[in-house]
Amino acid sequence: LGLTAVALRPTKVKCHLSLHRHRQRAGKEGQVLHRSKRGWVWNQFFVIEEYTGPDPVLVGRLHSDVDKGDGTIKYILSGEGAGTIFVIDDKTGNIHATKTLDREERAEYTLTAQAVARNTNEPLEPPSEFIVKVQDINDNPPEFLHGPYYAMVPEMSNVGTSVMQVTATDADDPTYGNSARLVYSILQGQPYFSVEPQTGIIRTALPNMDREARQEYDVVIQAKDMGGHMGGLSGTTEVKITLTDVNDNPPKFPQSVYSMSVSEDKVPGEEVGRLKAKDPDLGDNGLVNYRLIDGDGMNMFEISTNSETREAVVKLKKQVDFETKRSYTLKVEGSNPHIDSRFLAWGPYKDEATIKISVEDADEPPVFVAPSYTFEVEENVPQGTPVGRVHAKDTDVANNPVRYLIPRYTDVDQFFSISEDGLITTNRPLDRETQPWHNISVSATEIGHHQDTKVRVNIKVKDVNDNPPEFASDNEVFMCETHTKTKTPCFISVVSAVDKDEMAHRQHFTFSLAPEVAHNQNFTLKDNRDGTASIYVLRKGFNRLTQDVYFLPIEINDNGFPSMSSTNTLTIKVCSCDSEDNIGSCHMAPHVLPAGLSTGALIAILACIVILLAIVVLFVALRRQKKEPLIVFEEEDIRENIITYDDEGGGEEDTEAFDIATLQNPDGANGFLPRKDIKPELQFPIRPGLGRPAANSVDVDDFIKTRIAEADSDPTAPPYDSIQIYGYEGRGSLAGSLSSLESVTTESDLDYDYLQSWGPRFRKLADLYGTKDCSIYDADDDEDS
């Protein structure tokens, strides 16, 4: 089987032999075996990429030496791209490429060829592999995969300083021809930079490139294949090169002399002025440190650097005085802290300037000659006693007089006052025991000005022995009833004293019994000369049932100047004790009452009696309230149980819910109803002919008539306090019900002519009730009207 390669250029042929052994068996010994020679004629195939011809490209041809040309041999192609990219004519063995190939996608294909019998598909030759290589053409330009690029190089760099390296790639075959051989060149950025053609390294091309003159450069680099020859493809990229700063510029003050001013009322730490040395360098290279190097104001002023603005800030170190010195001169130096040794010859990296500071006059408040004052004054001194004097002066040239004032908030109780010359005096006596120190302020103000100065004045109140001594603790002592084993005199307690006054170093208290009890037979006292005294019992036989409390007056002297003494009473209580002299009860046993009842029982009995009396009084009051005659007060409504309805008829006769018991009075049923507020002087008899209904009568009409007659016959009864004030409108009422159709037939002596003056709303009622000669009401007439 032989393969014939078809290519556009000569190919190197490789021959491989594939033997198809045809063995013949010899019938006789010594017979020669014959083997027919068959094999592949093998060629390496090449196909040019990107071929765009109208017909499929013939890649090569398969042919076997057993092929007689009669069509009994069938050629089969398998492997990568077989049947899709590569097709074979099974009769002739011609292989064609049906698609355009791209070497950058795939450089070679491995295929398998085999010859078989067309009828039986039996292989006539073993299968063999062959390779179809895609031959490269220059169809890909160079590309900078990482562009655009950014690079930095220090300013003032030497010529040839490396900046960076750029690299381009070409997808063509680097092993075939010059399609991937690249050459670099610079299209933009000359004459400042250059690029090496083979490596793509960018270097500086000019010396002393100054960042302060130009900081950024845009460089364009080109990469061209085919070794840079004509017809090659090319690609470009941009490189942005920035010059970094170096300290190649010294600082410089824009002015040689700066003028500033400061008022004398400024306090230390306040800003006086600012100045700045210019340095075009950046970052640490542009930092400037400032310091004062000379001048007569170095002790009065200081200088610092503002971290944000990089300015020199001149501040007041000590307060200046216009009256003492009116101007100062300072010399300031600005220098770079970071110096580049390569540029030392360009120095020095510092500059100097002069600052002239003038002091401005200000209206200053008075100044006290002392920062604070401390005075002493005895307590209890009379009003107007001098305490001390303060003094302030005006430091201005005018030297105005000064007036003094004690602010009230520092002396709320107004213990002190101050004169025009600063003398502080007392307004009333002081008490050391109440307030030993008085801390006040004094304000000094120039006359005619508002500025003032305050000073602290501490006044100590000196002690005077004006308080007598007294017992230090409780003045009660407990003692046991004396037993036979008790020794006399017997110690029972120790008393001590205190004094509100300030005790002197050698001052002490002395104790003694008051003269009136100095010779008593019960108790005695011993002064211990240490500020205490011991109390002793002189006799036995104390009985708390006879006397349980004793009062012992003791005189205490403080030995001060002048000496003060006081008499304090010590209360001694007799208590019951056990056999070990442990105090038990100190109160007398309660006396037994003759009835054998204790105080608690008596209190309980009295409480029960009071409760019973309260119940009786309440019961009587309720009974009296129930026996009151039935009088309708203005606040009460006798119709409170009438059912609410919207019908207008004959009054309370229209409902059966009326409580007849409300109008019944058992006391008034059998006789005359007495008045509850006044007693009439004269009682008039009831007119004959008016019957009195029984108490249980349900004829309310008769009952009301009886009450009306009683009220009319009693001239002393006012209308507001009589039973005739009622809310009943029924049969027999003079007014009746205006809503009833029968009311017009009711005989009445009332005159309803006044309804004419009530307006148009009551005109129909006036016509109806004002006509006395009409006694019959026709419903049809009403409809006609």
Side-chain angles (χ1 to χ4, degrees), residues 55-79:
D55 299 324
V57 178
L58 178 61
V59 177
R61 180 180 181 184
L62 294 178
H63 182 74
S64 176
D65 53 2
V66 299
D67 187 1
K68 302 301 183 178
D70 54 0
T72 59
I73 302 298
K74 180 181 179 182
Y75 297 98
I76 299 174
L77 184 66
S78 62

mmCIF file of all heavy atoms in Angstrom, residues 55-79:
data_model
loop_
_atom_site.group_PDB
_atom_site.id
_atom_site.type_symbol
_atom_site.label_atom_id
_atom_site.label_comp_id
_atom_site.label_asym_id
_atom_site.label_seq_id
_atom_site.Cartn_x
_atom_site.Cartn_y
_atom_site.Cartn_z
ATOM 1 N N ASP A 55 -12.429 24.464 -4.652
ATOM 2 C CA ASP A 55 -12.569 23.009 -4.573
ATOM 3 C C ASP A 55 -11.863 22.499 -3.334
ATOM 4 O O ASP A 55 -10.935 23.135 -2.811
ATOM 5 C CB ASP A 55 -11.955 22.343 -5.819
ATOM 6 C CG ASP A 55 -12.648 22.781 -7.105
ATOM 7 O OD1 ASP A 55 -13.892 22.966 -7.032
ATOM 8 O OD2 ASP A 55 -11.956 22.948 -8.118
ATOM 9 N N PRO A 56 -12.278 21.296 -2.874
ATOM 10 C CA PRO A 56 -11.565 20.690 -1.744
ATOM 11 C C PRO A 56 -10.106 20.476 -2.088
ATOM 12 O O PRO A 56 -9.736 20.186 -3.226
ATOM 13 C CB PRO A 56 -12.302 19.376 -1.515
ATOM 14 C CG PRO A 56 -13.652 19.581 -2.092
ATOM 15 C CD PRO A 56 -13.458 20.502 -3.275
ATOM 16 N N VAL A 57 -9.253 20.595 -1.078
ATOM 17 C CA VAL A 57 -7.811 20.490 -1.276
ATOM 18 C C VAL A 57 -7.438 19.012 -1.270
ATOM 19 O O VAL A 57 -7.839 18.263 -0.367
ATOM 20 C CB VAL A 57 -7.054 21.246 -0.174
ATOM 21 C CG1 VAL A 57 -5.560 21.097 -0.351
ATOM 22 C CG2 VAL A 57 -7.452 22.714 -0.199
ATOM 23 N N LEU A 58 -6.690 18.560 -2.280
ATOM 24 C CA LEU A 58 -6.201 17.195 -2.321
ATOM 25 C C LEU A 58 -5.026 17.082 -1.364
ATOM 26 O O LEU A 58 -3.976 17.730 -1.557
ATOM 27 C CB LEU A 58 -5.769 16.821 -3.736
ATOM 28 C CG LEU A 58 -5.182 15.419 -3.897
ATOM 29 C CD1 LEU A 58 -6.217 14.359 -3.513
ATOM 30 C CD2 LEU A 58 -4.686 15.204 -5.338
ATOM 31 N N VAL A 59 -5.209 16.277 -0.362
ATOM 32 C CA VAL A 59 -4.154 16.123 0.632
ATOM 33 C C VAL A 59 -3.140 15.068 0.168
ATOM 34 O O VAL A 59 -1.932 15.250 0.254
ATOM 35 C CB VAL A 59 -4.773 15.726 1.985
ATOM 36 C CG1 VAL A 59 -3.702 15.482 3.017
ATOM 37 C CG2 VAL A 59 -5.746 16.797 2.448
ATOM 38 N N GLY A 60 -3.616 13.913 -0.336
ATOM 39 C CA GLY A 60 -2.724 12.840 -0.770
ATOM 40 C C GLY A 60 -3.537 11.676 -1.325
ATOM 41 O O GLY A 60 -4.761 11.755 -1.465
ATOM 42 N N ARG A 61 -2.815 10.584 -1.617
ATOM 43 C CA ARG A 61 -3.489 9.437 -2.237
ATOM 44 C C ARG A 61 -2.966 8.148 -1.603
ATOM 45 O O ARG A 61 -1.761 7.983 -1.382
ATOM 46 C CB ARG A 61 -3.212 9.397 -3.740
ATOM 47 C CG ARG A 61 -3.890 8.225 -4.439
ATOM 48 C CD ARG A 61 -3.572 8.257 -5.919
ATOM 49 N NE ARG A 61 -4.225 7.157 -6.608
ATOM 50 C CZ ARG A 61 -4.077 6.870 -7.901
ATOM 51 N NH1 ARG A 61 -3.278 7.639 -8.652
ATOM 52 N NH2 ARG A 61 -4.692 5.854 -8.455
ATOM 53 N N LEU A 62 -3.940 7.234 -1.320
ATOM 54 C CA LEU A 62 -3.593 5.912 -0.809
ATOM 55 C C LEU A 62 -3.580 4.915 -1.990
ATOM 56 O O LEU A 62 -4.495 4.928 -2.826
ATOM 57 C CB LEU A 62 -4.615 5.454 0.246
ATOM 58 C CG LEU A 62 -4.670 6.239 1.555
ATOM 59 C CD1 LEU A 62 -5.777 5.658 2.444
ATOM 60 C CD2 LEU A 62 -3.356 6.210 2.271
ATOM 61 N N HIS A 63 -2.572 4.069 -1.999
ATOM 62 C CA HIS A 63 -2.507 3.056 -3.056
ATOM 63 C C HIS A 63 -1.777 1.828 -2.531
ATOM 64 O O HIS A 63 -0.730 1.949 -1.890
ATOM 65 C CB HIS A 63 -1.779 3.587 -4.299
ATOM 66 C CG HIS A 63 -1.738 2.595 -5.405
ATOM 67 N ND1 HIS A 63 -2.850 2.283 -6.184
ATOM 68 C CD2 HIS A 63 -0.710 1.811 -5.904
ATOM 69 C CE1 HIS A 63 -2.524 1.368 -7.086
ATOM 70 N NE2 HIS A 63 -1.210 1.061 -6.939
ATOM 71 N N SER A 64 -2.379 0.654 -2.796
ATOM 72 C CA SER A 64 -1.771 -0.605 -2.383
ATOM 73 C C SER A 64 -1.283 -1.357 -3.627
ATOM 74 O O SER A 64 -1.915 -1.315 -4.678
ATOM 75 C CB SER A 64 -2.810 -1.458 -1.627
ATOM 76 O OG SER A 64 -2.268 -2.726 -1.309
ATOM 77 N N ASP A 65 -0.169 -2.033 -3.455
ATOM 78 C CA ASP A 65 0.374 -2.752 -4.589
ATOM 79 C C ASP A 65 -0.432 -3.995 -4.939
ATOM 80 O O ASP A 65 -0.192 -4.656 -5.959
ATOM 81 C CB ASP A 65 1.840 -3.137 -4.361
ATOM 82 C CG ASP A 65 2.025 -3.875 -3.041
ATOM 83 O OD1 ASP A 65 0.996 -4.115 -2.352
ATOM 84 O OD2 ASP A 65 3.158 -4.175 -2.678
ATOM 85 N N VAL A 66 -1.430 -4.305 -4.070
ATOM 86 C CA VAL A 66 -2.303 -5.421 -4.418
ATOM 87 C C VAL A 66 -3.505 -4.938 -5.206
ATOM 88 O O VAL A 66 -4.348 -5.752 -5.613
ATOM 89 C CB VAL A 66 -2.769 -6.171 -3.151
ATOM 90 C CG1 VAL A 66 -1.585 -6.757 -2.397
ATOM 91 C CG2 VAL A 66 -3.582 -5.256 -2.240
ATOM 92 N N ASP A 67 -3.578 -3.602 -5.365
ATOM 93 C CA ASP A 67 -4.705 -3.019 -6.097
ATOM 94 C C ASP A 67 -4.413 -3.194 -7.582
ATOM 95 O O ASP A 67 -3.409 -2.670 -8.115
ATOM 96 C CB ASP A 67 -4.856 -1.555 -5.737
ATOM 97 C CG ASP A 67 -6.118 -0.938 -6.339
ATOM 98 O OD1 ASP A 67 -6.876 -1.670 -7.010
ATOM 99 O OD2 ASP A 67 -6.354 0.278 -6.087
ATOM 100 N N LYS A 68 -5.266 -3.981 -8.285
ATOM 101 C CA LYS A 68 -5.098 -4.234 -9.717
ATOM 102 C C LYS A 68 -5.856 -3.225 -10.559
ATOM 103 O O LYS A 68 -5.878 -3.291 -11.777
ATOM 104 C CB LYS A 68 -5.600 -5.637 -10.064
ATOM 105 C CG LYS A 68 -4.903 -6.741 -9.279
ATOM 106 C CD LYS A 68 -3.390 -6.732 -9.534
ATOM 107 C CE LYS A 68 -2.709 -7.890 -8.786
ATOM 108 N NZ LYS A 68 -1.255 -7.921 -9.051
ATOM 109 N N GLY A 69 -6.557 -2.356 -9.877
ATOM 110 C CA GLY A 69 -7.332 -1.367 -10.598
ATOM 111 C C GLY A 69 -8.673 -1.851 -11.046
ATOM 112 O O GLY A 69 -9.325 -1.199 -11.879
ATOM 113 N N ASP A 70 -9.099 -3.015 -10.591
ATOM 114 C CA ASP A 70 -10.381 -3.529 -11.013
ATOM 115 C C ASP A 70 -11.514 -3.191 -10.035
ATOM 116 O O ASP A 70 -12.616 -3.713 -10.158
ATOM 117 C CB ASP A 70 -10.279 -5.054 -11.185
ATOM 118 C CG ASP A 70 -9.738 -5.736 -9.922
ATOM 119 O OD1 ASP A 70 -9.457 -4.986 -8.924
ATOM 120 O OD2 ASP A 70 -9.607 -6.959 -9.893
ATOM 121 N N GLY A 71 -11.248 -2.388 -9.011
ATOM 122 C CA GLY A 71 -12.299 -1.976 -8.076
ATOM 123 C C GLY A 71 -12.606 -2.951 -6.978
ATOM 124 O O GLY A 71 -13.601 -2.807 -6.269
ATOM 125 N N THR A 72 -11.765 -4.009 -6.851
ATOM 126 C CA THR A 72 -12.023 -4.968 -5.770
ATOM 127 C C THR A 72 -11.441 -4.502 -4.440
ATOM 128 O O THR A 72 -11.703 -5.111 -3.400
ATOM 129 C CB THR A 72 -11.408 -6.324 -6.168
ATOM 130 O OG1 THR A 72 -9.994 -6.174 -6.380
ATOM 131 C CG2 THR A 72 -12.074 -6.891 -7.428
ATOM 132 N N ILE A 73 -10.648 -3.471 -4.472
ATOM 133 C CA ILE A 73 -10.029 -2.947 -3.249
ATOM 134 C C ILE A 73 -10.835 -1.715 -2.774
ATOM 135 O O ILE A 73 -11.203 -0.851 -3.593
ATOM 136 C CB ILE A 73 -8.568 -2.556 -3.490
ATOM 137 C CG1 ILE A 73 -7.798 -3.762 -3.999
ATOM 138 C CG2 ILE A 73 -7.934 -2.040 -2.203
ATOM 139 C CD1 ILE A 73 -7.753 -4.933 -3.035
ATOM 140 N N LYS A 74 -11.058 -1.675 -1.498
ATOM 141 C CA LYS A 74 -11.784 -0.541 -0.886
ATOM 142 C C LYS A 74 -10.883 0.087 0.174
ATOM 143 O O LYS A 74 -10.360 -0.606 1.054
ATOM 144 C CB LYS A 74 -13.072 -1.035 -0.248
ATOM 145 C CG LYS A 74 -13.890 0.058 0.412
ATOM 146 C CD LYS A 74 -15.139 -0.527 1.038
ATOM 147 C CE LYS A 74 -15.957 0.537 1.715
ATOM 148 N NZ LYS A 74 -17.175 -0.014 2.374
ATOM 149 N N TYR A 75 -10.737 1.420 0.066
ATOM 150 C CA TYR A 75 -9.871 2.153 0.995
ATOM 151 C C TYR A 75 -10.757 2.802 2.088
ATOM 152 O O TYR A 75 -11.790 3.430 1.779
ATOM 153 C CB TYR A 75 -9.054 3.215 0.272
ATOM 154 C CG TYR A 75 -8.094 2.621 -0.745
ATOM 155 C CD1 TYR A 75 -8.440 2.575 -2.091
ATOM 156 C CD2 TYR A 75 -6.863 2.113 -0.335
ATOM 157 C CE1 TYR A 75 -7.561 2.029 -3.027
ATOM 158 C CE2 TYR A 75 -5.992 1.569 -1.272
ATOM 159 C CZ TYR A 75 -6.345 1.537 -2.599
ATOM 160 O OH TYR A 75 -5.483 0.997 -3.510
ATOM 161 N N ILE A 76 -10.303 2.630 3.328
ATOM 162 C CA ILE A 76 -11.049 3.167 4.483
ATOM 163 C C ILE A 76 -10.133 4.122 5.249
ATOM 164 O O ILE A 76 -8.947 3.813 5.492
ATOM 165 C CB ILE A 76 -11.529 2.048 5.416
ATOM 166 C CG1 ILE A 76 -12.479 1.108 4.669
ATOM 167 C CG2 ILE A 76 -12.236 2.627 6.636
ATOM 168 C CD1 ILE A 76 -12.884 -0.116 5.490
ATOM 169 N N LEU A 77 -10.697 5.299 5.664
ATOM 170 C CA LEU A 77 -9.959 6.319 6.426
ATOM 171 C C LEU A 77 -10.663 6.539 7.764
ATOM 172 O O LEU A 77 -11.880 6.743 7.816
ATOM 173 C CB LEU A 77 -9.902 7.635 5.647
ATOM 174 C CG LEU A 77 -9.068 8.758 6.293
ATOM 175 C CD1 LEU A 77 -7.594 8.349 6.328
ATOM 176 C CD2 LEU A 77 -9.224 10.057 5.496
ATOM 177 N N SER A 78 -9.930 6.509 8.847
ATOM 178 C CA SER A 78 -10.474 6.757 10.197
ATOM 179 C C SER A 78 -9.467 7.577 10.992
ATOM 180 O O SER A 78 -8.316 7.727 10.586
ATOM 181 C CB SER A 78 -10.763 5.423 10.913
ATOM 182 O OG SER A 78 -9.566 4.680 11.080
ATOM 183 N N GLY A 79 -9.968 8.095 12.122
ATOM 184 C CA GLY A 79 -9.096 8.907 12.974
ATOM 185 C C GLY A 79 -9.640 10.319 13.132
ATOM 186 O O GLY A 79 -10.841 10.587 12.938
#
